[in-house]
Amino acid sequence: MILYPHVDVNEKGHLTLGGVDCLSLASEYGTPLYLIDTDAVRENCRIYREAMRKYFGVDSYPAYASKALCFSGIYPVIKEEGLGADCVSGGEIYTALMAGFPAEKIFFHGSNKTRREICEALDARIGCFVVDNEEELELLNDLARERGVVQNILLRITPGIDPHTHKYVSTGRIDSKFGSAIPTGAAESIVASALKKNNLNLEGFHSHIGSQIFDAEPFVKEAEVLATFMADMNEKYGCGCTVLDLGGGIGVPYTKYDRRVDRAAVIKEMAEALKAVFRERGTELPRVILEPGRSIVADAGVTLYTVGSVKRLPGMRTYVSVDGGMTDDPRYALYSSRYTAVIADRACEEASELVTIAGRCCESGDLLGEELELQIPKAGDILAFLTTGAYNYSMASNYNRVPRPPIVTVGKGKADLAVMRESYCDLIKNDIL
Ligand SMILES: *Cc1c(COP(=O)(O)O)cnc(C)c1O
């Protein structure tokens, strides 16, 4: 019934995460409360790290996509597990650096990096910029020249793959705000421009085809397309590129209806596809980077809420109101994402009622889920949402001036406060009276 190995039920019948009783955490830290099991994060890191070494070679490694969950305490874990970090803003880079993450293992992404962010990242000597467009290439080269440095870059390429259809519509994904498309010739043209820039060193290519993908097939196709493109460019321009960064996107199960992806098997299939291309071209296998985000942190997270009221509307639905909502987890409001929820002290009881979980914002779209199977709820219950490690805290807002919840990490059987609950004071700290 419980989806993940890290979530269990103890002898009192209480839900646990990483062996720690969720009810005692709720009473100690209050609700809403984000919990992150760092042992689970480590386990996910190791799955990628080991499979990538085995199938791609010892120089290949995963870079954690920070946007899935970014707070200072995540970076020591990621660093200790030997991952790089993929950052998409000056704020994420700052967080990583302040937490002691090594600059040389940071990849800087984004389709519109500002001049200020580029300067900051150059000054911090981050390892690699993933350049999106011609204007960025020009600006980055100028700013690198001013500093007398040669910056390593990858170019973001749009391979023209739609991961959510079985037929690869080679035009569908060309319509993207990210990168340069191969089929239109834009990709080759930005390669030619990059090679003319004296303060940039083109190491290779990057692509990211989407998120919450459950099949190996789109990743295999992506690996083939990018590998072929790299081999073509190396032949035509002699650019000597040796790095392929194939992005993130492996899916995780949120409900019992979702499949669990065998990540090592996907990596193995991608490696076989790459090897076939490079064998045919008679060149060596490149260094491969993958950028998992969701599949590193999602199943390590649980969010706890307190039920305020239960409204049973006969013949319609049952609204269960909680003390959080779209401000701490906007994913249902944004994407109608489904979750598994349990009442934390009755997790073993049958989930016999179908409910709608409503958030506290003055907004009828502030829901956390509809038609969710739940144990019969009542006011005062602690409601646990599972698999909330990714794209919850990182997407949280202060809408309705709701302070953001704290993060408590659990690991090796003990709990630590990692991010404090926001105070009213925090809410007005930038306001000028
Ligand atoms: C979002 C993103 C990722 C991570 O995607 P997940 O689905 O969380 O694994 C990796 N790379 C880039 C460039 C991204 O934008």
Side-chain angles (χ1 to χ4, degrees), residues 357-380:
I357 312 283
R360 50 167 297 170
C361 285
C362 295
E363 184 84 38
S364 37
D366 179 14
L367 302 177
L368 289 172
E370 291 170 283
E371 295 183 354
L372 247 77
E373 297 163 19
L374 193 66
Q375 295 78 22
I376 311 274
K378 61 175 192 314

Side-chain angles (χ1 to χ4, degrees), residues 48 63 65 67-68 86 88 109 156 178 206-208 210-213 245 247-251 291-296 390-391:
Y48 275 97
K67 74 173 196 260
D86 145 5
V88 295
H109 284 272
R156 180 156 184 165
F178 295 107
H206 167 274
S207 76
H208 170 72
S211 207
Q212 199 53 350
I213 302 167
D245 179 341
I250 290 185
E291 301 170 335
R294 189 192 309 272
S295 55
I296 297 287
Y391 305 109

